[in-house]
Amino acid sequence: MLRSLVGSEMCIRDRSTGEGFGLMETMHPADFIEFRDYLIPASGFQSVQFRTLEQIFGVQRQTRAMVNGKEVFEYLEADEQKKLSAEAEIPSFNVLVEELLARIHVPENFKKVYFETTERVLRQQQFDIAKAPAGDKVAEKHVTTGLETTRSMLEEPVEWSEGLHCANDKEAERYTKAVLAALFVSSYRHEPKYALLASFLSLIHI
């Protein structure tokens, strides 16, 4: 069941980013034409089922791009728009995962430990593995850039997450806790108590 959900999520991600479905990329145009007529008068863009799946997986209405000055929902029938509005009140899969993660206790010193570990790994990559000379400006810049990104992710995850919209402080707080918990669980994934949850997060690409 979970793998099916992940498969659906991957399709939505591809379709929403404009990359297209992987299956479609392997098809010859003549093959597509054979069944395209059965989709009339709608395409994936006008599909209420597809918009339902997007909402289930947490695609936020506020972050959608306008199409010819209109919201994508405006291209649907009135009864379909009403159905989607009602379904939008149901917590999405994304919200449920955030709520699960937000319940996890993260030690107070975790951010400090994570940051220091990241710095050590970045320096090993540049100076031990890549063999950059001590004090090399390019290598130091790579380390500094990586640490700035890490600090932003740890201290301001809402601002760090591109395209995220939090309706209120409660949602922002939940998301902040969820990000730290996801990092914590992934960092300690080899410990039995976190192994199953870490596998779950990996499966859904978090």
Side-chain angles (χ1 to χ4, degrees), residues 137-199:
K137 291 184 178 180
V138 175
E140 288 291 351
K141 183 173 179 58
H142 281 302
V143 173
T144 300
T145 300
L147 291 177
E148 288 175 350
T149 300
T150 300
R151 181 180 288 107
S152 177
M153 177 179 64
L154 292 171
E155 301 297 339
E156 300 177 333
V158 174
E159 289 76 9
W160 171 78
S161 301
E162 184 178 355
L164 178 71
H165 173 80
C166 291
N168 49 54
D169 292 341
K170 183 178 179 181
E171 287 188 6
E173 181 182 6
R174 183 189 67 216
Y175 182 79
T176 298
K177 289 181 178 179
V179 169
L180 291 177
L183 290 172
F184 176 72
V185 169
S186 297
S187 298
Y188 293 91
R189 60 189 177 278
H190 299 301
E191 294 192 10
K193 66 185 297 184
Y194 300 118
L196 183 60
L197 182 54
S199 297

Side-chain angles (χ1 to χ4, degrees), residues 49-203:
Q49 294 93 339
F50 189 82
R51 299 305 173 196
T52 295
L53 280 174
E54 285 183 323
Q55 289 191 157
I56 289 174
F57 284 102
V59 176
Q60 297 177 306
R61 187 164 184 167
Q62 301 90 335
T63 62
R64 294 178 183 273
M66 303 291 280
V67 180
N68 296 324
K70 299 167 63 176
E71 286 190 339
V72 292
F73 291 97
E74 294 182 57
Y75 290 90
L76 301 175
E77 299 294 334
D79 59 328
E80 295 174 332
Q81 293 185 42
K82 184 177 180 180
K83 177 178 181 290
L84 287 170
S85 295
E87 291 174 344
E89 300 301 317
I90 302 172
S92 69
F93 179 70
N94 189 59
V95 167
L96 295 177
V97 172
E98 286 182 14
E99 290 179 345
L100 169 65
L101 290 170
R103 296 194 193 105
I104 297 173
H105 171 69
V106 178
E108 291 184 6
N109 69 335
F110 173 69
K111 288 195 289 187
K112 180 176 182 293
V113 171
Y114 188 90
F115 186 84
E116 292 175 349
T117 301
T118 299
E119 181 176 15
R120 184 166 62 252
V121 170
L122 289 172
R123 291 195 174 281
Q124 287 176 342
Q125 289 174 340
Q126 294 299 320
F127 299 104
D128 295 340
I129 300 175
K131 302 298 183 181
D136 183 81
K137 291 184 178 180
V138 175
E140 288 291 351
K141 183 173 179 58
H142 281 302
V143 173
T144 300
T145 300
L147 291 177
E148 288 175 350
T149 300
T150 300
R151 181 180 288 107
S152 177
M153 177 179 64
L154 292 171
E155 301 297 339
E156 300 177 333
V158 174
E159 289 76 9
W160 171 78
S161 301
E162 184 178 355
L164 178 71
H165 173 80
C166 291
N168 49 54
D169 292 341
K170 183 178 179 181
E171 287 188 6
E173 181 182 6
R174 183 189 67 216
Y175 182 79
T176 298
K177 289 181 178 179
V179 169
L180 291 177
L183 290 172
F184 176 72
V185 169
S186 297
S187 298
Y188 293 91
R189 60 189 177 278
H190 299 301
E191 294 192 10
K193 66 185 297 184
Y194 300 118
L196 183 60
L197 182 54
S199 297
F200 169 70
L201 297 180
S202 176
L203 194 60

Side-chain angles (χ1 to χ4, degrees), residues 6 9-10 13 200-206:
V6 173
E9 185 268 345
M10 291 177 67
R13 179 182 301 173
F200 169 70
L201 297 180
S202 176
L203 194 60
I204 61 175
H205 308 286
I206 290 184

